[in-house]
Amino acid sequence: MAPQSGPLRSTAMIAPALRADHRDTPSWLLIAAMLMTFLAAQYHHRFTVDPIRAAPAIASLIALGSALAIGRCTARPRLAAGATAFLQMTLFTLLGVVLAYALAANSGPLWDGHLAAADRAIGFNWPVVLALLDTSPPAIWLFGLAYHSLTLQMIVVIVALSGMRKFDILRTMVCAAILSGFVTILISGLTPAMGNLFDPSRYGHLWPSIAWLEQGLISGLRDGSLRVLDLTMLMGIVSFPSFHATLAAIFIWAFGAMPRIALAGRTWAILTIVATPVFGGHYGVDVIMGLILAPPAIIAARRLTQRRQPSHPTCSAVPA
């Protein structure tokens, strides 16, 4: 009988451990706070959701929720951790974008003049940068693909961290992303801006920036002509601070926990940050502020998600 007690005990202890771990709670609470903020922000504007176009998002949430349930019920911690991270980040993305829309509908005068003046004071000369970049199509492709690959970076980080069982780092990264994203959206509601716009038709190779493509969207939110949410075409409209820069900086920290891919991952994220002003249509101060937000978000997330020590340490010896 003695040789069998080890496997039985370890198997019996895995599932309760998955159920008893509440370190994901801070991220869930932040998501709930974002939902409540959106409901309050859109109260006077009454946004509606296109039900047909909401189907893919709902199906994705159901699939991720099912994967999370399977992972917990079958005591597969890597599946449970990965599904939890993807589910939280998907909910955060949906709520974050619609919250930014609601705040844009309530926002006051644009801050582009102030942000452009801050760039000039720092020494950013964007016409010179754009003209120089336009002479190098390979650089445009490199930076452009890096900027537009942020979602792919998130997928790689979540899959790698969950696959390597680095659950604490994964949980902290997700919480830091949601926390900093929530703060970024709230700040942007107080400092609305169209973005650091440039006309791509004046250049031979440069791509249109996201800010250039979003002009009509932001105008529609501000003048009231856009009140139906298409969940298949949600676009980030935050200018200051740049969440692209914040999230890439958080990924740089997360890649550090995976030595085999740290160099490639960090290089990838750094290229994304460098590309953000041009391909995102951000001001330099947007990116600087976004980078400043990352470290405190990581520190706060680590404290929020750390394992709580039991009040009676001797209790841990009782099952043994």
Side-chain angles (χ1 to χ4, degrees):
M1 296 295 294
Q4 297 178 1
S5 61
L8 289 175
R9 180 178 61 185
S10 60
T11 303
M13 293 177 66
I14 291 177
L18 288 175
R19 292 194 297 269
D21 195 340
H22 300 292
R23 288 175 293 169
D24 292 315
T25 301
S27 294
W28 291 120
L29 291 176
L30 286 168
I31 290 171
M34 292 179 67
L35 174 60
M36 298 303 296
T37 306
F38 166 70
L39 293 176
Q42 65 91 49
Y43 180 77
H44 295 291
H45 301 285
R46 300 297 182 184
F47 282 89
T48 59
V49 177
D50 185 328
I52 296 178
R53 293 184 176 274
I58 295 173
S60 299
L61 295 175
I62 292 174
L64 291 171
S66 300
L68 171 58
I70 293 172
R72 288 183 174 177
C73 293
T74 60
R76 297 161 69 182
R78 289 183 291 184
L79 175 59
T84 299
F86 277 120
L87 181 58
Q88 289 176 334
M89 289 301 293
T90 301
L91 283 169
F92 158 71
T93 301
L94 291 171
L95 289 173
V97 173
V98 298
L99 174 57
Y101 284 9
L103 293 177
N106 290 279
S107 61
L110 295 172
W111 279 57
D112 290 276
H114 300 290
L115 298 175
D119 266 15
R120 290 192 297 270
I122 295 174
F124 286 109
N125 190 332
W126 293 117
V128 173
V129 172
L130 296 173
L132 180 62
L133 184 60
D134 192 51
T135 63
S136 179
I140 291 174
W141 277 94
L142 175 64
F143 289 120
L145 292 176
Y147 175 82
H148 289 286
S149 69
L150 194 64
T151 300
L152 180 58
Q153 292 178 51
M154 179 191 72
I155 293 172
V156 170
V157 171
I158 292 176
V159 171
L161 288 175
S162 58
M164 296 178 186
R165 295 179 175 269
K166 296 184 180 290
F167 303 138
D168 289 340
I169 301 295
L170 175 60
R171 188 177 291 109
T172 300
M173 184 210 73
V174 171
C175 185
I178 296 174
L179 176 60
S180 60
F182 193 10
V183 172
T184 296
I185 293 167
L186 293 178
I187 294 175
S188 73
L190 300 174
T191 59
M194 296 295 290
N196 188 15
L197 301 177
F198 67 89
D199 186 351
S201 65
R202 298 177 57 186
Y203 299 92
H205 304 286
L206 277 177
W207 305 352
S209 67
I210 294 298
W212 178 266
L213 298 175
E214 290 174 347
Q215 293 179 83
L217 171 61
I218 297 176
S219 298
L221 291 168
R222 290 174 61 85
D223 64 24
S225 61
L226 196 160
R227 290 294 180 265
V228 179
L229 300 175
D230 179 354
L231 298 187
T232 65
M233 293 294 292
L234 294 178
M235 299 180 68
I237 60 171
V238 172
S239 181
F240 177 85
S242 168
F243 184 59
H244 235 76
T246 305
L247 193 55
I250 293 173
F251 289 161
I252 290 174
W253 172 80
F255 275 120
M258 300 173 284
R260 292 184 178 180
I261 62 173
L263 179 60
R266 285 177 161 178
T267 302
W268 188 6
I270 290 172
L271 288 174
T272 301
I273 295 171
V274 174
T276 294
V278 174
F279 295 91
H282 280 281
Y283 298 98
V285 291
D286 297 352
V287 177
I288 293 172
M289 186 61 183
L291 295 176
I292 290 174
L293 285 176
I298 294 171
I299 294 171
R302 290 183 68 176
R303 293 183 178 180
L304 289 171
T305 61
Q306 66 184 356
R307 185 184 296 277
R308 301 294 189 269
Q309 296 298 327
S311 57
H312 301 288
T314 54
C315 294
S316 60
V318 173

